[in-house]
Amino acid sequence: SKIEAVNTLVSALLEKSTLLLHDSGSDASRFAYEQFIHIFNDMKVGHNAVDISVAPIPSFSDYKEVVVLLSDLTFLGKDLTALTSWVKAGGAAYFPLALDGNIFSDTIFQMLGVNDASPDYYTVRSIYLHEDFMIGGGSAFELTDPFECARTVSLSRSAEVFASAETPDGVPLVWRNRYGDGVFVVANIGIYEKTLRGFYASAYSLLS
């Protein structure tokens, strides 16, 4: 369509300051990627999308933000250490997928502001938006088909929570944690639908 053609042209002209890592071999990553392409087009975010299943990860130093559309960080390998070092030096990284429990995610949980993470997943029935996060802050909106989609975690006092399950003190769903001179943002909810684009877009905005 003409609108899609214009969006493609605008995207091509924008400075590609954001690196979007995804994995076409993962259903969750593929679903999230489809939504983030729409989100970045709507927000006019210049980005470089890299499918890590077929292409190497470029240098993080070429970007201002990195969005990691992976639930299993094993696939980052040694690049995970490079990513955390880049954030500590002033970078900004966003994890929009609920992270799987394994040695790779466990090694960076403290950097993300996580004190403890249970292997269990929590059934999110509604999302409570904290004040000043997005339109509708200070209230909760129900999900039509709740299921076990969020890791049950407890956070350190340094983490700023912006959304949680059901109540302000519920399971954290979106938080930001300063690390060195940089910042991590985490969206701990495995639902990738059109109705939640504003939710993920607002979490992306926390990088700045």
Side-chain angles (χ1 to χ4, degrees):
S1 69
K2 289 184 178 180
I3 294 177
E4 291 175 340
V6 170
N7 283 338
T8 300
L9 177 60
V10 170
S11 178
L13 294 174
L14 291 170
E15 177 190 0
K16 291 179 169 54
S17 60
T18 297
L19 175 62
L20 182 66
L21 300 178
H22 64 105
D23 177 10
S24 60
S26 162
D27 287 342
S29 183
R30 190 169 65 253
F31 294 149
Y33 175 72
E34 292 171 358
Q35 299 305 326
F36 267 82
I37 291 302
H38 286 285
I39 290 169
F40 283 174
N41 283 339
D42 291 343
M43 296 179 70
K44 303 297 185 290
V45 174
H47 64 277
N48 181 24
V50 174
D51 182 352
I52 66 167
S53 68
V54 297
I57 296 175
S59 173
F60 299 119
S61 62
D62 294 334
Y63 301 91
K64 295 178 181 177
E65 300 97 14
V66 174
V67 178
V68 183
L69 297 181
L70 305 172
S71 55
D72 185 354
L73 300 184
T74 303
F75 297 104
L76 288 181
K78 63 181 181 181
D79 288 304
L80 181 59
T81 300
L83 176 63
T84 57
S85 297
W86 171 78
V87 171
K88 189 174 184 179
Y94 177 23
F95 292 89
L97 278 69
L99 297 176
D100 293 344
N102 57 48
I103 190 172
F104 284 85
S105 57
D106 290 349
T107 58
I108 70 163
F109 267 152
Q110 188 174 10
M111 303 176 199
L112 301 181
V114 177
N115 274 339
D116 185 60
S118 166
D120 299 326
Y121 282 76
Y122 182 81
T123 300
V124 179
R125 293 176 172 80
S126 65
I127 299 176
Y128 181 88
L129 305 174
H130 293 227
E131 296 285 354
D132 301 325
F133 174 50
M134 59 185 293
I135 294 174
S139 61
F141 67 90
E142 293 186 2
L143 300 178
T144 53
D145 298 303
F147 65 99
E148 295 178 347
C149 60
R151 285 290 300 275
T152 303
V153 297
S154 62
L155 304 180
S156 65
R157 296 184 65 180
S158 65
E160 304 170 80
V161 180
F162 294 89
S164 51
E166 285 89 50
T167 69
D169 298 321
V171 171
L173 300 182
V174 173
W175 68 88
R176 176 172 60 193
N177 193 63
R178 304 288 178 180
Y179 179 61
D181 293 329
V183 64
F184 284 109
V185 172
V186 181
N188 176 39
I189 182 168
I191 304 174
Y192 315 108
E193 299 175 350
K194 180 179 180 180
T195 54
L196 289 181
R197 284 180 192 169
F199 176 82
Y200 285 108
S202 295
Y204 170 80
S205 298
L206 296 174
L207 292 174
S208 57

